[in-house]
Amino acid sequence: MCSADDGWASFTPDSTVITGTKGTVVTVVEVDGGNHAIGSGKVTLPDAYKSKNLLKYGPYSGGNCTVSVESDGKLNMTVKKGGDGAKWNLGTLKAGNYTLSATNTIGNGSMYAYVKNINNVELASIRFINGECVKSFTLSKATECVFILKNWGDNTITSGYLQLEAGSSATSWVKPDVTDSNGVGI
């Protein structure tokens, strides 16, 4: 249970995220299977929650490629001619370990997601196959990076939930903060 300025509400502990306005005092009470409190605490909410998903993407339409984003953050890509795709600037990633992952992907295996530096050096790539795919990489210094979706098949439709996060392993997917960035054709 969670108490904010506007009253009590339930939240799912699986998400471990409580959202609200900066400065709101929140009381969290852990309850057992019944109605008994077994622990509680208060916290003042900081600045807006930042997603662990570092990707920045959005719609793109050009040439033989169309990328759309559903309201829940799922990416969809339609390509008429293989080799077409889109890219988005991720900004500078700090030195450290990162993991690129895709879940609930649907496709024929011709779609790839890449993270590259601005000199077009590949840091990680994953191939969309039905299911999940994961690739970890390490940056030895802060690096300006881009996110690329590219499809090598003709007349294909693919989709999935993609995530780039700090760390050496993939965790449960969350929607990134930016899903309205305009893509650029490649």
Side-chain angles (χ1 to χ4, degrees), residues 88-112:
W88 297 266
N89 187 356
L90 295 177
T92 301
L93 298 178
K94 299 177 192 173
N97 296 320
Y98 293 89
T99 300
L100 178 64
S101 61
T103 57
N104 297 320
T105 57
I106 298 172
N108 64 2
S110 61
M111 168 117 156
Y112 286 77

Side-chain angles (χ1 to χ4, degrees), residues 44-176:
T44 301
L45 294 179
D47 286 331
Y49 166 75
K50 298 277 188 198
S51 175
K52 68 179 176 181
N53 189 342
L54 303 173
L55 289 179
K56 297 176 184 176
Y57 54 74
Y60 170 76
S61 183
N64 294 302
C65 174
T66 301
V67 176
S68 63
V69 182
E70 295 182 22
S71 61
D72 67 353
K74 182 179 185 179
L75 277 166
N76 300 299
M77 183 178 199
T78 303
V79 172
K80 293 179 183 173
K81 181 183 175 198
D84 282 353
K87 72 177 178 178
W88 297 266
N89 187 356
L90 295 177
T92 301
L93 298 178
K94 299 177 192 173
N97 296 320
Y98 293 89
T99 300
L100 178 64
S101 61
T103 57
N104 297 320
T105 57
I106 298 172
N108 64 2
S110 61
M111 168 117 156
Y112 286 77
Y114 301 91
V115 174
K116 294 186 176 186
N117 68 18
I118 58 169
N119 295 320
N120 205 33
V121 174
E122 183 178 310
L123 304 170
S125 68
I126 53 176
R127 181 178 175 196
F128 272 52
I129 52 175
N130 292 334
E132 299 182 15
C133 29
V134 176
K135 177 68 176 183
S136 294
F137 63 98
T138 301
L139 294 176
S140 59
K141 62 181 181 177
T143 305
E144 184 81 15
C145 295
V146 295
F147 170 58
I148 298 171
L149 289 178
K150 194 166 189 175
N151 201 318
W152 293 100
D154 292 337
N155 299 311
T156 56
I157 299 172
T158 53
S159 64
Y161 295 91
L162 282 94
Q163 181 161 279
L164 175 65
E165 62 190 300
S168 312
S169 59
T171 62
S172 59
W173 182 87
V174 296
K175 183 178 178 180

